[in-house]
Amino acid sequence: MRVHVSLASWPGLRHAEAAQLLSTPPAEPRFGRLSTAHVQLVPQSMGVIDDALVDTLHTAYPATRFRLHANVRVLRRHVMADLSGFDLHGDWFTQAARISKRLGAPAYTAHAGRRSEAALPSMLDNARRCADLFGCPVGVEGHYPSQRDDWLVSSWQEYRAVFASGVPYAIDLSHLHILATHTGRPETTLVAEMLACERCIEVHLSANDGRGDWHQVCTEDVWWHALLPHIHPAAVVFSEGNHRRKRTDHAH
């Protein structure tokens, strides 16, 4: 299994600074040297992704296919644009689609978002509309339980609904570890089926203790490692482990 670099490996750096580290991609204990064939541009990086940055990335890394993830910064102001808020943040989605096309990105993945912004069926319809706007597959990334139940796709039932919807999706296995810890049961059959489906366009890997999304580098096996062989061959797998801090640091 080839695991690719996400710029989430180096949070807090400017996009161009983080991209410079692609010349010597990190190695991880569980996955070996990460691949730069595909690279994810992420909200954890600083600065705005504009045409000049896209052109710089293409010139410096002609063999790499870059793609946007979630509410990555494409406008001067910071926007929390999730699929639930597709109609609320039209300017952000329009600009993100333009940048994605300039990148030649093969896909885009976004978080499902907040219950306060949309019901589940509306969010799924937003994902379909977003795919039309971007001109490429758009995947829904689910969340995990929160104290106030703020997030769409944060229960096994809602993950099943995404699977049944026909919409592409990204599976973040660290989010599912939090859900499994919270519910006391990993739904291994559902997760294996979702990973094996051709609509699984991305898989995100990082470690946590089941209590928060710590984005740690994977160093030991948990329940979902046994399911990795099920991943569809066309899905692109990214490590989102943070290589800028020690594993014991639980700061976001």
Side-chain angles (χ1 to χ4, degrees), residues 40 69 111 140-144 159 169-178 191 195 200 202-208 213 215 223-224 238 240:
Q40 195 187 49
H69 175 54
H111 295 120
V140 176
E141 181 181 340
H143 297 273
Y144 47 86
Y159 274 94
Y169 51 84
I171 293 289
D172 187 319
L173 287 165
S174 65
H175 290 182
L176 294 189
H177 185 51
I178 299 169
V191 177
L195 289 171
C200 179
E202 282 180 20
V203 180
H204 302 166
L205 310 176
S206 65
N208 60 56
D213 192 18
H215 281 255
W223 62 271
W224 54 257
F238 289 105
E240 294 187 329

Side-chain angles (χ1 to χ4, degrees), residues 128-152:
R128 297 181 185 99
R129 293 163 62 208
C130 190
D132 290 341
L133 177 64
F134 274 66
C136 69
V138 168
V140 176
E141 181 181 340
H143 297 273
Y144 47 86
S146 64
Q147 212 164 3
R148 294 195 301 256
D149 193 27
D150 297 323
W151 303 108
L152 289 164

